Amino acid sequence: CPYEAISADGLTSSGVQNAADRYRDRIRARLNVEAKATDALLVGIGVTTTENGDPRSGNQTLSGTFSRKAVDLDLAYFDWKFATWGNLTGGKMKQTFFKPAQSTYFWDNDINPEGLALGFSSGIWFGTAYNYWISEVSGAENTVTADSHIAGAQMGVKLPIGASTLTLAAHYYDLG
């Protein structure tokens, strides 16, 4: 159960602290289950605690006079290995591309995108192409609407260097 202290640094124009310090306890719980439906098909589902549906954090603040805490769908996906070198993943899934560390500047590891991804791996080469749906937009029959999505691709190589591996990858994505 992590404890969090937030000190207010802001001052009003007269030099008085503009907000009180905050102290809170938070919890986080996740439950993910995977099942091998066939030799080539893996399916998964997961739930997580959440506060106000935040897609970047499953943290839940302990407050609200002993209120019940929200649990939301976090994952619901299939992963079909259609060949020894390739797979198709779809639904609400973990990110399907290589990231250089647990925490990166561009992609939060807690974000589970929704869409389709086509991946391949052959020898030292790997890659993925994907289309993630962000928001479905609807409107009156006589209006033009555009759903937002991210489409991207990544190509990479894993080079053995002694007992280690050097991974190089190039990633392009476009918000549409």
Side-chain angles (χ1 to χ4, degrees), residues 104-142:
T104 68
Y105 293 111
F106 300 106
W107 295 95
D108 187 319
N109 289 315
D110 283 335
I111 298 291
N112 293 327
E114 302 163 7
L116 289 171
L118 182 63
F120 82 91
S121 179
S122 182
I124 62 173
W125 299 98
F126 67 91
T128 187
Y130 58 87
N131 186 59
Y132 296 154
W133 299 292
I134 297 174
S135 181
E136 188 275 330
V137 179
S138 62
E141 192 174 330
N142 61 350

Side-chain angles (χ1 to χ4, degrees), residues 25-176:
D25 290 300
R26 307 192 85 197
I27 59 170
R28 177 184 208 156
R30 289 182 179 163
L31 177 64
N32 299 326
V33 177
E34 285 185 337
K36 195 169 187 178
T38 69
D39 286 341
L41 183 64
L42 181 73
V43 293
I45 190 163
V47 293
T48 185
T49 53
T50 183
E51 195 162 291
N52 302 320
D54 186 349
R56 293 168 301 170
S57 174
N59 291 337
Q60 181 69 245
T61 303
L62 296 176
S63 69
T65 320
F66 310 123
S67 64
R68 296 187 187 275
K69 304 305 177 202
V71 175
D72 285 341
L73 184 66
D74 194 31
L75 298 167
Y77 63 93
F78 69 87
D79 190 351
W80 173 44
K81 186 140 181 85
F82 59 82
T84 58
W85 54 267
N87 68 304
L88 177 68
T89 306
K92 184 160 184 60
M93 63 194 131
K94 292 285 185 188
Q95 296 166 18
T96 57
F97 46 82
F98 169 78
K99 295 183 305 283
Q102 284 296 85
S103 178
T104 68
Y105 293 111
F106 300 106
W107 295 95
D108 187 319
N109 289 315
D110 283 335
I111 298 291
N112 293 327
E114 302 163 7
L116 289 171
L118 182 63
F120 82 91
S121 179
S122 182
I124 62 173
W125 299 98
F126 67 91
T128 187
Y130 58 87
N131 186 59
Y132 296 154
W133 299 292
I134 297 174
S135 181
E136 188 275 330
V137 179
S138 62
E141 192 174 330
N142 61 350
T143 62
V144 176
T145 60
D147 296 345
S148 56
H149 68 279
I150 295 176
Q154 181 183 69
M155 291 286 301
V157 61
K158 293 182 179 182
L159 302 170
I161 300 176
S164 299
T165 302
L166 174 64
T167 303
L168 301 171
H171 190 168
Y172 173 81
Y173 62 93
D174 186 48
L175 177 63

